[in-house]
Amino acid sequence: MTTYQMDPAPACPDDAVVLEADDRLVQVQILSFGYGHGDPVPEADILLDLRRSYRNPHSDPAMRELTGFDAQVAAHVDATAGIGALVRHTVAAVLDLVAEVGDPQHRLIRVAAGCVGGRHRSVRVARAVREGVRAAGLGAEALHLHVRRPMIQQ
């Protein structure tokens, strides 16, 4: 499985949307979110639903209060069967879309990754997709919509 070097988590107030910006022309935007908050699912060219097939760090009391920015959660998600392939295939699909779209100044490719609460799996996968897209030479930013929201009790 390919792993990507992650930037540290940006500091932000509780319940804020977290933006991981890029200093290049942004061609790709990756959103992480939680289906369980009742907000509309973000519009996206590629939608990843991480709720059913991938281990949930929330189930482990040692990781429950952490987020996808924490190394322990990232390692847990990365070690989940299928996540590496999902990230690689998502990055490949993004690169194909960018190539097909043409002029990147006129079209932003959007990927949305959702789990139950938007704090663990979706954050880690969004960050990994962002790093994969950036490693391919494209500008990419990640918006984490629910990472600072109160935890959903399951």
Side-chain angles (χ1 to χ4, degrees), residues 20-54:
E20 291 183 286
D22 198 324
D23 57 358
R24 298 172 286 187
L25 172 67
V26 173
Q27 296 172 262
V28 182
Q29 184 179 68
I30 302 105
L31 308 171
S32 72
F33 71 99
Y35 285 94
H37 293 286
D39 295 347
V41 173
E43 289 187 18
D45 300 292
I46 300 170
L47 178 63
L48 306 175
D49 186 341
L50 306 169
R51 292 176 292 181
R52 293 185 34 167
S53 298
Y54 306 103

Side-chain angles (χ1 to χ4, degrees), residues 76-90:
H76 178 88
V77 173
D78 288 348
T80 300
I83 289 291
L86 178 68
V87 169
R88 285 190 308 276
H89 292 298
T90 302

Side-chain angles (χ1 to χ4, degrees), residues 93-109:
V94 166
L95 297 177
D96 286 346
L97 278 172
V98 169
E100 292 292 322
V101 167
D103 185 357
Q105 294 182 13
H106 295 101
R107 179 94 189 319
L108 181 70
I109 302 301

